Amino acid sequence: MAPTATIETISIVRPLKVIALVCGIITAFLMVLALSSSDWLLAQGWRQGLFAHCIGDGAPKPLPFQINAEVGCHTARDEPYIMASAALCIICLFLDAFATLMTGLGLSSNDPAVKTRYYRIAVWVMTVALIAILIALILYPVFFAQELELGNRTLWEFGWAYGVGWGAAIFLFGAVVLLLCDQEEEEIYYKERTIIHAENDSRA
């Protein structure tokens, strides 16, 4: 029989896009930690986060910001900058989760046009998420400084949760850069090979 040519489709996953996917997952994890913690701002006997503030045992009186409450954690103060920062962080979390999903779908697809579409969506959504978290991280300390006179404490420190927020922003920035750097790379290759079918003689 005559030789026949077949075309094989070979999909090569770019490592930069895989790293971008991992960065997106890490960002989501860090955002959950930052949102769930009350350790954004720390002072003697006082912890403040996006959704709660906590009063420790033996906290000196008067309490910061004219708060009159018992020991324990309470709902966050009704301050516009706290609510805005919390909303922006939640937006960042959901946008990052969506962009990470788009990146994963792009990696799993074998259609070049579909891959490009998924990656483009992921880049734009992650960029918006990055802007949201940066605004929140800048907004929180700037407006807190304006009410510092009501703090009734001489020493204030940013807690680990605020640092985790910056860590999330760094990983998110890295994911955007990695997707942009590798955006034009071809991931689908076509290889042609010739197969020769041997004819077997049959005998009666």
Side-chain angles (χ1 to χ4, degrees):
M1 296 177 61
T4 59
T6 60
I7 298 178
E8 292 181 335
T9 302
I10 302 174
S11 177
I12 298 179
V13 177
R14 295 290 177 180
L16 292 185
K17 290 187 173 68
V18 176
I19 298 174
L21 176 67
V22 173
C23 286
I25 295 173
I26 294 175
T27 298
F29 174 72
L30 294 178
M31 288 306 303
V32 171
L33 288 180
L35 285 166
S36 60
S37 174
S38 60
D39 290 341
W40 278 59
L41 280 171
L42 305 175
Q44 187 178 7
W46 180 269
R47 291 184 291 120
Q48 177 175 301
L50 297 177
F51 298 100
H53 62 263
C54 299
I55 303 168
D57 292 330
K61 300 292 182 69
L63 293 173
F65 314 113
Q66 301 176 348
I67 296 294
N68 185 15
E70 301 297 328
V71 173
C73 292
H74 309 275
T75 305
R77 294 180 296 122
D78 190 17
E79 290 292 332
Y81 79 91
I82 296 178
M83 293 187 293
S85 298
L88 288 169
C89 286
I90 292 173
I91 290 171
C92 174
L93 173 60
F94 281 102
L95 289 179
D96 171 70
F98 177 74
T100 302
L101 176 62
M102 292 294 101
T103 305
L105 292 175
L107 286 170
S108 62
S109 176
N110 290 325
D111 188 338
V114 174
K115 278 182 175 290
T116 302
R117 188 181 309 116
Y118 281 139
Y119 293 146
R120 186 178 294 115
I121 293 173
V123 166
W124 282 107
V125 174
M126 280 187 176
T127 301
V128 176
L130 178 61
I131 294 173
I133 185 61
L134 288 177
I135 293 175
L137 292 172
I138 295 172
L139 188 74
Y140 196 84
V142 167
F143 281 88
F144 167 75
Q146 296 181 5
E147 61 172 3
L148 194 57
E149 294 180 356
L150 300 175
N152 296 325
R153 298 290 186 272
T154 56
L155 179 62
W156 286 91
E157 298 178 345
F158 288 108
W160 65 267
Y162 182 76
V164 165
W166 278 107
I170 292 172
F171 276 103
L172 194 54
F173 176 76
V176 171
V177 171
L178 289 172
L179 286 175
L180 286 174
C181 289
D182 210 24
Q183 194 174 26
E184 302 301 326
E185 293 291 339
E186 194 68 40
E187 295 194 1
I188 303 296
Y189 293 89
Y190 300 97
K191 178 181 178 181
E192 182 176 334
R193 68 173 180 173
T194 302
I195 301 176
I196 302 177
H197 300 277
E199 183 177 4
N200 296 325
D201 294 330
S202 59
R203 298 183 178 178

PDB file of all heavy atoms in Angstrom, residues 107-134:
ATOM      1  N   LEU A 107      -5.300  27.221  29.545  1.00  0.00           N
ATOM      2  CA  LEU A 107      -4.285  26.172  29.551  1.00  0.00           C
ATOM      3  C   LEU A 107      -4.846  24.826  29.097  1.00  0.00           C
ATOM      4  O   LEU A 107      -4.137  24.027  28.475  1.00  0.00           O
ATOM      5  CB  LEU A 107      -3.701  26.023  30.958  1.00  0.00           C
ATOM      6  CG  LEU A 107      -2.744  27.126  31.421  1.00  0.00           C
ATOM      7  CD1 LEU A 107      -2.438  26.985  32.894  1.00  0.00           C
ATOM      8  CD2 LEU A 107      -1.461  27.093  30.607  1.00  0.00           C
ATOM      9  N   SER A 108      -6.111  24.573  29.390  1.00  0.00           N
ATOM     10  CA  SER A 108      -6.699  23.273  29.056  1.00  0.00           C
ATOM     11  C   SER A 108      -7.252  23.208  27.635  1.00  0.00           C
ATOM     12  O   SER A 108      -7.551  22.116  27.136  1.00  0.00           O
ATOM     13  CB  SER A 108      -7.823  22.945  30.044  1.00  0.00           C
ATOM     14  OG  SER A 108      -8.864  23.901  29.948  1.00  0.00           O
ATOM     15  N   SER A 109      -7.383  24.351  26.970  1.00  0.00           N
ATOM     16  CA  SER A 109      -7.951  24.367  25.627  1.00  0.00           C
ATOM     17  C   SER A 109      -6.892  24.053  24.575  1.00  0.00           C
ATOM     18  O   SER A 109      -5.724  24.399  24.727  1.00  0.00           O
ATOM     19  CB  SER A 109      -8.576  25.738  25.338  1.00  0.00           C
ATOM     20  OG  SER A 109      -9.054  25.795  24.012  1.00  0.00           O
ATOM     21  N   ASN A 110      -7.319  23.394  23.492  1.00  0.00           N
ATOM     22  CA  ASN A 110      -6.424  23.093  22.373  1.00  0.00           C
ATOM     23  C   ASN A 110      -6.654  23.995  21.168  1.00  0.00           C
ATOM     24  O   ASN A 110      -5.971  23.863  20.161  1.00  0.00           O
ATOM     25  CB  ASN A 110      -6.596  21.631  21.940  1.00  0.00           C
ATOM     26  CG  ASN A 110      -6.063  20.658  22.964  1.00  0.00           C
ATOM     27  OD1 ASN A 110      -5.066  20.924  23.630  1.00  0.00           O
ATOM     28  ND2 ASN A 110      -6.730  19.523  23.113  1.00  0.00           N
ATOM     29  N   ASP A 111      -7.611  24.883  21.262  1.00  0.00           N
ATOM     30  CA  ASP A 111      -7.913  25.810  20.177  1.00  0.00           C
ATOM     31  C   ASP A 111      -7.130  27.102  20.395  1.00  0.00           C
ATOM     32  O   ASP A 111      -7.329  27.789  21.399  1.00  0.00           O
ATOM     33  CB  ASP A 111      -9.411  26.103  20.158  1.00  0.00           C
ATOM     34  CG  ASP A 111      -9.828  26.918  18.939  1.00  0.00           C
ATOM     35  OD1 ASP A 111      -8.978  27.597  18.349  1.00  0.00           O
ATOM     36  OD2 ASP A 111     -11.021  26.851  18.574  1.00  0.00           O
ATOM     37  N   PRO A 112      -6.223  27.472  19.476  1.00  0.00           N
ATOM     38  CA  PRO A 112      -5.415  28.681  19.668  1.00  0.00           C
ATOM     39  C   PRO A 112      -6.250  29.939  19.843  1.00  0.00           C
ATOM     40  O   PRO A 112      -5.914  30.800  20.659  1.00  0.00           O
ATOM     41  CB  PRO A 112      -4.579  28.747  18.378  1.00  0.00           C
ATOM     42  CG  PRO A 112      -4.566  27.362  17.847  1.00  0.00           C
ATOM     43  CD  PRO A 112      -5.865  26.754  18.244  1.00  0.00           C
ATOM     44  N   ALA A 113      -7.327  30.079  19.080  1.00  0.00           N
ATOM     45  CA  ALA A 113      -8.166  31.273  19.189  1.00  0.00           C
ATOM     46  C   ALA A 113      -8.839  31.341  20.559  1.00  0.00           C
ATOM     47  O   ALA A 113      -8.934  32.405  21.171  1.00  0.00           O
ATOM     48  CB  ALA A 113      -9.214  31.273  18.089  1.00  0.00           C
ATOM     49  N   VAL A 114      -9.292  30.184  21.040  1.00  0.00           N
ATOM     50  CA  VAL A 114      -9.936  30.146  22.356  1.00  0.00           C
ATOM     51  C   VAL A 114      -8.924  30.447  23.455  1.00  0.00           C
ATOM     52  O   VAL A 114      -9.210  31.174  24.417  1.00  0.00           O
ATOM     53  CB  VAL A 114     -10.595  28.772  22.587  1.00  0.00           C
ATOM     54  CG1 VAL A 114     -11.133  28.667  24.004  1.00  0.00           C
ATOM     55  CG2 VAL A 114     -11.714  28.552  21.581  1.00  0.00           C
ATOM     56  N   LYS A 115      -7.720  29.889  23.326  1.00  0.00           N
ATOM     57  CA  LYS A 115      -6.666  30.162  24.297  1.00  0.00           C
ATOM     58  C   LYS A 115      -6.393  31.653  24.409  1.00  0.00           C
ATOM     59  O   LYS A 115      -6.353  32.222  25.497  1.00  0.00           O
ATOM     60  CB  LYS A 115      -5.377  29.438  23.890  1.00  0.00           C
ATOM     61  CG  LYS A 115      -5.292  27.987  24.282  1.00  0.00           C
ATOM     62  CD  LYS A 115      -3.955  27.425  23.855  1.00  0.00           C
ATOM     63  CE  LYS A 115      -3.782  25.996  24.334  1.00  0.00           C
ATOM     64  NZ  LYS A 115      -3.614  25.915  25.799  1.00  0.00           N
ATOM     65  N   THR A 116      -6.219  32.287  23.246  1.00  0.00           N
ATOM     66  CA  THR A 116      -5.922  33.718  23.230  1.00  0.00           C
ATOM     67  C   THR A 116      -7.038  34.515  23.880  1.00  0.00           C
ATOM     68  O   THR A 116      -6.793  35.465  24.627  1.00  0.00           O
ATOM     69  CB  THR A 116      -5.711  34.196  21.783  1.00  0.00           C
ATOM     70  OG1 THR A 116      -4.639  33.438  21.198  1.00  0.00           O
ATOM     71  CG2 THR A 116      -5.360  35.666  21.744  1.00  0.00           C
ATOM     72  N   ARG A 117      -8.287  34.129  23.606  1.00  0.00           N
ATOM     73  CA  ARG A 117      -9.427  34.836  24.179  1.00  0.00           C
ATOM     74  C   ARG A 117      -9.440  34.705  25.699  1.00  0.00           C
ATOM     75  O   ARG A 117      -9.638  35.687  26.412  1.00  0.00           O
ATOM     76  CB  ARG A 117     -10.727  34.301  23.595  1.00  0.00           C
ATOM     77  CG  ARG A 117     -11.961  35.122  23.987  1.00  0.00           C
ATOM     78  CD  ARG A 117     -13.229  34.538  23.390  1.00  0.00           C
ATOM     79  NE  ARG A 117     -13.102  34.315  21.961  1.00  0.00           N
ATOM     80  CZ  ARG A 117     -13.153  33.137  21.369  1.00  0.00           C
ATOM     81  NH1 ARG A 117     -13.331  32.045  22.100  1.00  0.00           N
ATOM     82  NH2 ARG A 117     -13.033  33.017  20.073  1.00  0.00           N
ATOM     83  N   TYR A 118      -9.210  33.495  26.198  1.00  0.00           N
ATOM     84  CA  TYR A 118      -9.201  33.283  27.644  1.00  0.00           C
ATOM     85  C   TYR A 118      -8.081  34.082  28.312  1.00  0.00           C
ATOM     86  O   TYR A 118      -8.286  34.715  29.364  1.00  0.00           O
ATOM     87  CB  TYR A 118      -9.032  31.801  27.968  1.00  0.00           C
ATOM     88  CG  TYR A 118     -10.307  30.990  27.836  1.00  0.00           C
ATOM     89  CD1 TYR A 118     -10.292  29.719  27.268  1.00  0.00           C
ATOM     90  CD2 TYR A 118     -11.527  31.486  28.304  1.00  0.00           C
ATOM     91  CE1 TYR A 118     -11.448  28.964  27.160  1.00  0.00           C
ATOM     92  CE2 TYR A 118     -12.690  30.734  28.203  1.00  0.00           C
ATOM     93  CZ  TYR A 118     -12.640  29.485  27.622  1.00  0.00           C
ATOM     94  OH  TYR A 118     -13.791  28.745  27.524  1.00  0.00           O
ATOM     95  N   TYR A 119      -6.886  34.043  27.722  1.00  0.00           N
ATOM     96  CA  TYR A 119      -5.760  34.755  28.313  1.00  0.00           C
ATOM     97  C   TYR A 119      -5.981  36.265  28.304  1.00  0.00           C
ATOM     98  O   TYR A 119      -5.612  36.965  29.244  1.00  0.00           O
ATOM     99  CB  TYR A 119      -4.470  34.423  27.572  1.00  0.00           C
ATOM    100  CG  TYR A 119      -4.020  32.986  27.740  1.00  0.00           C
ATOM    101  CD1 TYR A 119      -3.372  32.312  26.708  1.00  0.00           C
ATOM    102  CD2 TYR A 119      -4.235  32.297  28.932  1.00  0.00           C
ATOM    103  CE1 TYR A 119      -2.959  30.999  26.858  1.00  0.00           C
ATOM    104  CE2 TYR A 119      -3.832  30.990  29.088  1.00  0.00           C
ATOM    105  CZ  TYR A 119      -3.189  30.344  28.047  1.00  0.00           C
ATOM    106  OH  TYR A 119      -2.784  29.051  28.211  1.00  0.00           O
ATOM    107  N   ARG A 120      -6.574  36.768  27.236  1.00  0.00           N
ATOM    108  CA  ARG A 120      -6.828  38.205  27.159  1.00  0.00           C
ATOM    109  C   ARG A 120      -7.826  38.635  28.236  1.00  0.00           C
ATOM    110  O   ARG A 120      -7.644  39.656  28.896  1.00  0.00           O
ATOM    111  CB  ARG A 120      -7.351  38.574  25.771  1.00  0.00           C
ATOM    112  CG  ARG A 120      -7.497  40.085  25.563  1.00  0.00           C
ATOM    113  CD  ARG A 120      -7.959  40.415  24.174  1.00  0.00           C
ATOM    114  NE  ARG A 120      -6.944  40.053  23.178  1.00  0.00           N
ATOM    115  CZ  ARG A 120      -7.100  39.122  22.259  1.00  0.00           C
ATOM    116  NH1 ARG A 120      -8.242  38.443  22.183  1.00  0.00           N
ATOM    117  NH2 ARG A 120      -6.135  38.862  21.398  1.00  0.00           N
ATOM    118  N   ILE A 121      -8.875  37.835  28.429  1.00  0.00           N
ATOM    119  CA  ILE A 121      -9.845  38.136  29.480  1.00  0.00           C
ATOM    120  C   ILE A 121      -9.169  38.102  30.848  1.00  0.00           C
ATOM    121  O   ILE A 121      -9.380  38.988  31.694  1.00  0.00           O
ATOM    122  CB  ILE A 121     -11.014  37.130  29.432  1.00  0.00           C
ATOM    123  CG1 ILE A 121     -11.834  37.319  28.151  1.00  0.00           C
ATOM    124  CG2 ILE A 121     -11.915  37.296  30.658  1.00  0.00           C
ATOM    125  CD1 ILE A 121     -12.897  36.257  27.952  1.00  0.00           C
ATOM    126  N   ALA A 122      -8.320  37.084  31.067  1.00  0.00           N
ATOM    127  CA  ALA A 122      -7.635  36.945  32.360  1.00  0.00           C
ATOM    128  C   ALA A 122      -6.757  38.147  32.651  1.00  0.00           C
ATOM    129  O   ALA A 122      -6.733  38.652  33.784  1.00  0.00           O
ATOM    130  CB  ALA A 122      -6.809  35.660  32.372  1.00  0.00           C
ATOM    131  N   VAL A 123      -6.040  38.641  31.650  1.00  0.00           N
ATOM    132  CA  VAL A 123      -5.143  39.784  31.849  1.00  0.00           C
ATOM    133  C   VAL A 123      -5.933  41.022  32.245  1.00  0.00           C
ATOM    134  O   VAL A 123      -5.587  41.735  33.204  1.00  0.00           O
ATOM    135  CB  VAL A 123      -4.316  40.053  30.579  1.00  0.00           C
ATOM    136  CG1 VAL A 123      -3.649  41.419  30.657  1.00  0.00           C
ATOM    137  CG2 VAL A 123      -3.265  38.971  30.392  1.00  0.00           C
ATOM    138  N   TRP A 124      -7.016  41.306  31.516  1.00  0.00           N
ATOM    139  CA  TRP A 124      -7.803  42.500  31.813  1.00  0.00           C
ATOM    140  C   TRP A 124      -8.470  42.414  33.181  1.00  0.00           C
ATOM    141  O   TRP A 124      -8.490  43.392  33.951  1.00  0.00           O
ATOM    142  CB  TRP A 124      -8.856  42.718  30.730  1.00  0.00           C
ATOM    143  CG  TRP A 124      -8.293  43.320  29.477  1.00  0.00           C
ATOM    144  CD1 TRP A 124      -8.093  42.692  28.275  1.00  0.00           C
ATOM    145  CD2 TRP A 124      -7.836  44.667  29.303  1.00  0.00           C
ATOM    146  NE1 TRP A 124      -7.544  43.558  27.370  1.00  0.00           N
ATOM    147  CE2 TRP A 124      -7.374  44.784  27.978  1.00  0.00           C
ATOM    148  CE3 TRP A 124      -7.777  45.775  30.134  1.00  0.00           C
ATOM    149  CZ2 TRP A 124      -6.863  45.967  27.468  1.00  0.00           C
ATOM    150  CZ3 TRP A 124      -7.254  46.957  29.634  1.00  0.00           C
ATOM    151  CH2 TRP A 124      -6.810  47.052  28.312  1.00  0.00           C
ATOM    152  N   VAL A 125      -9.012  41.248  33.512  1.00  0.00           N
ATOM    153  CA  VAL A 125      -9.690  41.098  34.804  1.00  0.00           C
ATOM    154  C   VAL A 125      -8.688  41.183  35.951  1.00  0.00           C
ATOM    155  O   VAL A 125      -8.948  41.826  36.986  1.00  0.00           O
ATOM    156  CB  VAL A 125     -10.463  39.765  34.847  1.00  0.00           C
ATOM    157  CG1 VAL A 125     -11.050  39.529  36.231  1.00  0.00           C
ATOM    158  CG2 VAL A 125     -11.575  39.775  33.813  1.00  0.00           C
ATOM    159  N   MET A 126      -7.517  40.557  35.791  1.00  0.00           N
ATOM    160  CA  MET A 126      -6.500  40.640  36.838  1.00  0.00           C
ATOM    161  C   MET A 126      -5.987  42.064  37.012  1.00  0.00           C
ATOM    162  O   MET A 126      -5.660  42.488  38.124  1.00  0.00           O
ATOM    163  CB  MET A 126      -5.333  39.703  36.504  1.00  0.00           C
ATOM    164  CG  MET A 126      -5.583  38.254  36.838  1.00  0.00           C
ATOM    165  SD  MET A 126      -4.108  37.235  36.618  1.00  0.00           S
ATOM    166  CE  MET A 126      -4.704  35.649  37.208  1.00  0.00           C
ATOM    167  N   THR A 127      -5.916  42.804  35.924  1.00  0.00           N
ATOM    168  CA  THR A 127      -5.486  44.204  36.025  1.00  0.00           C
ATOM    169  C   THR A 127      -6.477  45.022  36.841  1.00  0.00           C
ATOM    170  O   THR A 127      -6.090  45.824  37.703  1.00  0.00           O
ATOM    171  CB  THR A 127      -5.338  44.819  34.623  1.00  0.00           C
ATOM    172  OG1 THR A 127      -4.369  44.055  33.875  1.00  0.00           O
ATOM    173  CG2 THR A 127      -4.870  46.264  34.708  1.00  0.00           C
ATOM    174  N   VAL A 128      -7.769  44.815  36.602  1.00  0.00           N
ATOM    175  CA  VAL A 128      -8.793  45.517  37.387  1.00  0.00           C
ATOM    176  C   VAL A 128      -8.712  45.091  38.856  1.00  0.00           C
ATOM    177  O   VAL A 128      -8.825  45.929  39.767  1.00  0.00           O
ATOM    178  CB  VAL A 128     -10.195  45.236  36.820  1.00  0.00           C
ATOM    179  CG1 VAL A 128     -11.265  45.872  37.689  1.00  0.00           C
ATOM    180  CG2 VAL A 128     -10.306  45.763  35.394  1.00  0.00           C
ATOM    181  N   ALA A 129      -8.497  43.799  39.103  1.00  0.00           N
ATOM    182  CA  ALA A 129      -8.359  43.312  40.476  1.00  0.00           C
ATOM    183  C   ALA A 129      -7.152  43.939  41.162  1.00  0.00           C
ATOM    184  O   ALA A 129      -7.212  44.303  42.347  1.00  0.00           O
ATOM    185  CB  ALA A 129      -8.240  41.786  40.482  1.00  0.00           C
ATOM    186  N   LEU A 130      -6.056  44.078  40.428  1.00  0.00           N
ATOM    187  CA  LEU A 130      -4.854  44.691  40.982  1.00  0.00           C
ATOM    188  C   LEU A 130      -5.100  46.149  41.352  1.00  0.00           C
ATOM    189  O   LEU A 130      -4.686  46.616  42.422  1.00  0.00           O
ATOM    190  CB  LEU A 130      -3.708  44.587  39.971  1.00  0.00           C
ATOM    191  CG  LEU A 130      -2.387  45.232  40.374  1.00  0.00           C
ATOM    192  CD1 LEU A 130      -1.837  44.591  41.641  1.00  0.00           C
ATOM    193  CD2 LEU A 130      -1.372  45.136  39.234  1.00  0.00           C
ATOM    194  N   ILE A 131      -5.792  46.867  40.487  1.00  0.00           N
ATOM    195  CA  ILE A 131      -6.122  48.266  40.779  1.00  0.00           C
ATOM    196  C   ILE A 131      -6.995  48.357  42.029  1.00  0.00           C
ATOM    197  O   ILE A 131      -6.794  49.225  42.897  1.00  0.00           O
ATOM    198  CB  ILE A 131      -6.827  48.913  39.572  1.00  0.00           C
ATOM    199  CG1 ILE A 131      -5.858  49.014  38.385  1.00  0.00           C
ATOM    200  CG2 ILE A 131      -7.366  50.295  39.931  1.00  0.00           C
ATOM    201  CD1 ILE A 131      -6.511  49.471  37.106  1.00  0.00           C
ATOM    202  N   ALA A 132      -7.953  47.442  42.162  1.00  0.00           N
ATOM    203  CA  ALA A 132      -8.855  47.450  43.318  1.00  0.00           C
ATOM    204  C   ALA A 132      -8.097  47.238  44.624  1.00  0.00           C
ATOM    205  O   ALA A 132      -8.304  47.975  45.601  1.00  0.00           O
ATOM    206  CB  ALA A 132      -9.930  46.383  43.146  1.00  0.00           C
ATOM    207  N   ILE A 133      -7.202  46.256  44.671  1.00  0.00           N
ATOM    208  CA  ILE A 133      -6.488  45.976  45.913  1.00  0.00           C
ATOM    209  C   ILE A 133      -5.495  47.086  46.234  1.00  0.00           C
ATOM    210  O   ILE A 133      -5.300  47.444  47.407  1.00  0.00           O
ATOM    211  CB  ILE A 133      -5.787  44.598  45.852  1.00  0.00           C
ATOM    212  CG1 ILE A 133      -5.145  44.245  47.205  1.00  0.00           C
ATOM    213  CG2 ILE A 133      -4.743  44.556  44.757  1.00  0.00           C
ATOM    214  CD1 ILE A 133      -6.106  44.142  48.340  1.00  0.00           C
ATOM    215  N   LEU A 134      -4.886  47.681  45.226  1.00  0.00           N
ATOM    216  CA  LEU A 134      -3.960  48.787  45.480  1.00  0.00           C
ATOM    217  C   LEU A 134      -4.685  50.000  46.054  1.00  0.00           C
ATOM    218  O   LEU A 134      -4.179  50.657  46.975  1.00  0.00           O
ATOM    219  CB  LEU A 134      -3.227  49.168  44.188  1.00  0.00           C
ATOM    220  CG  LEU A 134      -2.175  48.173  43.688  1.00  0.00           C
ATOM    221  CD1 LEU A 134      -1.591  48.636  42.366  1.00  0.00           C
ATOM    222  CD2 LEU A 134      -1.076  47.978  44.727  1.00  0.00           C
TER     223      LEU A 134
END
